[in-house]
Amino acid sequence: MTSSTCRRKAGRNNSPYSRKDQTLDHFDYVDGTMHVEQVPMTEIAQQVGTPVYVYSTATLERHVGVFREGLSQLDNPLIAFAVKANPNAAVLATLAKLGLGADVVSGGELQRAVAAGIPADRIVFSGVGKTAEEMKLALELGIFQFNLESEPEAEMLSQVAESMGRKAPVAYRINPDVDAGTHAKISTGKSENKFGIPYDRALESYAAARDLPGLDVQGVAVHIGSQLTDLAPLEAAFVKVGALIAQLRAAGHDIRTADLGGGLGVPYDPSQPLPPSPADYGAMVTRVTQGWDARLMFEPGRVIVGNAGVLLSKVIRVKQGAQAPFVIVDAAMNDLMRPSLYDAWHDIRAVAPDGNRIASNVVGPVCETGDTFAMGRDMDVVAAGDLLTFMTAGAYGATMAGTYNSRSLTPEVLVWGDKWAVVRARPPIEALIAGDHIPDWVAG
Ligand SMILES: *Cc1c(COP(=O)(O)O)cnc(C)c1O
């Protein structure tokens, strides 16, 4: 493992990042076959079967290093990986070893993060629907911060904490009413979205929270959406956070933390301009937060794991279409939901391309028109039995997988140099069936 990638290098915040830096992953062709680090994709497909998610440790390390380097001008920032982007235990344990904390949105994610070795004092709990049980668990573990999203939630947390003789460290997630300019289903910072408390009413909400005996009001939080390809909305939101911190302090609140959320985009489509780099992002944050005198927190998800994973799939058959051939692959919308959910674009590459290209429609076997990965896509020519990969599938990939059409959950593999391991096995279909129960009165 190259520890240099995760070591902080002070003073290099302004180093220019090229496309190569930002897109750098470890999925490269060696002798005409795609490898992940030193392992041929063909070896994984043969031994594990397809479809399968494949993650690269070197790429994870690389992206943690680049993100950290972008923030190198800041004093002791807390980088809390957004677990929902990729909750695999092996991925979390890798990130824990690199010193990351966790941003969790459920009791399950909290337990996963702790089980993977992420210290509770680096964990922040986000989400609009935390239950009393989840709050209790988080308080018992002693997490760093709760990001509250409503006044009723503040009241409930205060009661739970008081009943345990504790004070819960909290921030309010404010809704800055900023348009993130991203897909509607992953925008979270407009006033009509369900997230956070309205910016205009924040002072009242904070005043009410201060009077609650079970809370220790320590910070402000914001997260306006995901896959942002422009820094301007982030900057607009952070400026509002800065103004609010000043107002809150003037009103007597002891604000010590500012959680700036996640949301930085990653390159999916090589023909599109690059999203802002972590260095650009870090420079903007450093400029905007000058003089805030608060510990800054970040919740990156996609930018850490997106490029570190691919979905490896096999072509079942190719059938003629009206305009372009349909390439029917053994991965489907249940394995990788992003295209059907958000019209997301994933680069599709043959594992062993022969150099020819053709416009193709790439679809899965599920009985839904939405089970379509690409239409009329210029891509490598492939035939039945060939392997292909959906690139940049490490974030919001396996974690959103389901069993629709009675398809087994997608397995996951983690590669490290020339080593690899199955980090989640493909459950046998019998296990799926055995999970159901037929009551007596039906069985007769
Ligand atoms: C999903 C989420 C994130 C991570 O978003 P990315 O776009 O993956 O960086 C961070 N914070 C909160 C509150 C989230 O819901």
Side-chain angles (χ1 to χ4, degrees), residues 338-356:
R338 298 189 63 258
S340 59
L341 201 57
Y342 315 131
D343 307 310
W345 202 103
H346 285 271
D347 204 13
I348 303 172
R349 297 186 201 159
V351 164
D354 69 2
N356 295 311

Side-chain angles (χ1 to χ4, degrees), residues 29 32-34 42 349-355 380-382 386-388:
Y29 290 93
T33 299
M34 189 190 289
T42 44
R349 297 186 201 159
V351 164
D354 69 2
D380 299 316
V381 171
V382 287
D386 287 354
L387 295 171
L388 50 73

Side-chain angles (χ1 to χ4, degrees), residues 206 217-220 245 248-249 253-258 293-294:
Y206 271 88
V217 178
Q218 68 178 19
V220 179
I245 290 174
L248 289 169
R249 285 185 177 148
H253 296 278
D254 181 18
I255 301 298
R256 285 104 66 198
T257 67
D293 191 24

Side-chain angles (χ1 to χ4, degrees), residues 82 84 103 126 173 223 226-227 262-263 299-302 396:
K84 77 179 193 288
D103 168 51
S126 303
R173 174 175 178 176
H223 171 73
S226 201
Q227 186 53 18
E299 303 169 346
R302 192 186 307 270
Y396 307 104

Side-chain angles (χ1 to χ4, degrees), residues 158-171:
S158 176
Q159 275 171 17
V160 173
E162 226 193 335
S163 74
M164 297 168 69
R166 305 265 175 103
K167 268 193 183 283
V170 301

Side-chain angles (χ1 to χ4, degrees), residues 275-345:
S277 69
D280 299 337
Y281 172 81
M284 180 274 282
V285 168
T286 303
R287 176 168 50 76
V288 173
T289 63
Q290 199 86 46
W292 279 17
D293 191 24
R295 183 170 188 205
L296 296 184
M297 301 163 60
F298 299 88
E299 303 169 346
R302 192 186 307 270
V303 76
I304 302 293
V305 292
N307 267 320
V310 302
L311 175 60
L312 175 60
S313 178
K314 189 186 277 179
V315 178
I316 299 173
R317 66 180 60 87
V318 179
K319 84 170 201 178
Q320 185 130 35
Q323 266 103 41
F326 282 98
V327 175
I328 303 163
V329 298
D330 65 2
M333 62 188 283
N334 72 294
D335 303 298
L336 177 61
M337 263 175 65
R338 298 189 63 258
S340 59
L341 201 57
Y342 315 131
D343 307 310
W345 202 103

